[in-house]
Amino acid sequence: MGSLYREIEKFQNDAIISKVWGYEVWHFNTPKLCMKTLVVYPGFACSFHGHLVKYEIFTCLDSGPTNRLYITVGDADERLLKRGEHVTIEAGVKHTFRCEENSSAALLEISTHHREDDSYRDWASHGFMGEKSMEFMGQVGKLKGKR
């Protein structure tokens, strides 16, 4: 986990937005482009959702033998997204991502401008609060306390 936290600490002026499934570090959201780092807690999944206008590219920053990130785009089967791999999501295509209970992961999102009213969801974000999830959330709390 150390390298992931060092990377996030570089963005001291960026906003950290808590989510059910983890948190987002917002680097910028201009009228044309948005960039965020998404950290997914162990055992959690984001909602199955889409965007009316937003076009997204997700690049996996941290996933591997111990950090496993799965992504589903549209009607496709769920697939493991490995470190350095990316996926493009067109506007109107529903998607979700999740981590297994014993792992966490980080994604870089580069997209068109983010607006909350641009999203629609089929089901809500959710997770399993196992021992690893609680341990990871404690580490995140320590990071937030350094700000």
Side-chain angles (χ1 to χ4, degrees), residues 9-146:
E9 286 177 321
K10 290 178 185 177
F11 298 102
Q12 289 298 314
N13 296 320
D14 294 349
I16 295 178
I17 309 298
S18 294
K19 298 287 190 173
V20 169
W21 48 262
Y23 63 94
E24 300 174 338
V25 180
W26 284 55
H27 307 301
F28 60 82
N29 189 27
T30 70
K32 293 192 179 217
L33 293 173
C34 179
M35 185 171 90
K36 303 182 233 177
T37 299
L38 313 178
V39 177
V40 185
Y41 292 148
F44 280 75
C46 78
S47 62
F48 189 58
H49 68 283
H51 305 282
L52 299 171
V53 178
K54 188 176 177 184
Y55 173 94
E56 299 171 295
I57 299 171
F58 292 116
T59 301
C60 185
L61 299 176
D62 188 19
S63 182
T66 58
N67 295 327
R68 298 178 67 82
L69 175 74
Y70 294 91
I71 191 159
T72 303
V73 178
D75 294 330
D77 290 336
E78 178 179 72
R79 74 176 182 106
L80 177 65
L81 196 62
K82 297 176 184 171
R83 183 181 183 139
E85 292 181 337
H86 71 275
V87 62
T88 300
I89 302 170
E90 301 280 343
V93 177
K94 293 177 189 170
H95 53 283
T96 185
F97 48 81
R98 72 171 183 88
C99 283
E100 293 178 341
E101 196 281 324
N102 61 349
S103 68
S104 60
L107 292 162
L108 178 67
E109 173 190 322
I110 298 176
S111 66
T112 53
H113 178 76
H114 178 90
R115 288 185 2 232
E116 283 300 317
D117 64 353
D118 183 51
S119 299
Y120 55 95
R121 293 169 174 78
D122 279 5
W123 41 262
S125 301
H126 61 281
F128 171 74
M129 292 299 294
E131 183 179 328
K132 289 285 185 185
S133 298
M134 298 301 285
E135 177 184 319
F136 188 78
M137 291 172 78
Q139 293 298 320
V140 170
K142 289 177 188 174
L143 171 64
K144 289 181 181 180
K146 291 181 182 179

